[in-house]
């Protein structure tokens, strides 16, 4: 797992992003005789979601979450994060590195 981030701050405001990526995810099953039915259903749901949102070429799950606002009241763009998860899974894989797109000029005074 890797977490890549860039954040710039000025005069109590900030702008940036967090990009978590998980590569080569392997889920380990508990023996089915030791778990209850609801836990088994939950495990199968998680396995299915992981496979659905995994980029098959890079074998990774990831997203990019934009962050901005005041330091006392930050905002995350969840809709963009969902779009980036789908984009990573089905269109083009996110790169496991910072994007060099945030600098002090990114923060508006």
């Amino acid at each position: 797992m890797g977490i890549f981030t860039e954040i710039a701050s000025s005069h109590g405001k900030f702008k940036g992003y967090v990009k978590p990526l998980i590569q080569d995810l392997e889920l380990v099953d508990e023996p089915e005789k030791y778990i209850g039915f609801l836990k088994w259903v939950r495990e199968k749901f998680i396995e299915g979601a992981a496979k659905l949102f995994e980029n098959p070429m890079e074998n990774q799950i990831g997203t990019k979450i934009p962050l901005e606002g005041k330091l006392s009241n930050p905002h995350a763009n969840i809709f963009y994060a969902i779009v980036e998860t789908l984009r990573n899974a089905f269109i083009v894989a996110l790169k496991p590195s910072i994007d060099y797109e945030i600098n002090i000029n990114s923060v508006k005074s």
Side-chain angles (χ1 to χ4, degrees):
M1 179 173 182
I3 298 178
F4 306 91
T5 186
E6 287 183 285
I7 296 177
S9 177
S10 177
H11 299 93
K13 295 181 180 180
F14 75 97
K15 185 172 184 174
Y17 66 85
V18 176
K19 183 169 52 167
L21 296 174
I22 301 172
Q23 294 182 315
D24 302 319
L25 177 66
E26 290 185 33
L27 300 173
V28 179
D29 287 330
E30 286 186 52
E32 291 181 16
K33 64 182 179 180
Y34 297 116
I35 63 173
F37 178 73
L38 291 178
K39 190 170 181 182
W40 178 83
V41 168
R42 185 182 76 194
E43 285 182 3
K44 295 304 174 190
F45 176 78
I46 291 170
E47 286 178 18
K51 274 293 179 204
L52 177 65
F53 294 112
E54 182 178 67
N55 181 290
M57 301 298 282
E58 298 294 327
N59 198 21
Q60 76 179 15
I61 300 169
T63 191
K64 185 174 179 181
I65 307 164
L67 306 168
E68 68 179 298
K70 294 181 179 180
L71 293 173
S72 61
N73 189 19
H75 298 282
N77 190 333
I78 301 303
F79 178 74
Y80 185 87
I82 292 168
V83 169
E84 281 297 301
T85 302
L86 296 172
R87 184 174 167 263
N88 175 71
F90 302 113
I91 299 172
V92 62
L94 291 168
K95 299 204 183 317
S97 65
I98 60 174
D99 296 339
Y100 299 103
E101 63 185 33
I102 302 295
N103 59 47
I104 199 66
N105 295 325
S106 302
V107 184
K108 296 179 181 172
S109 301

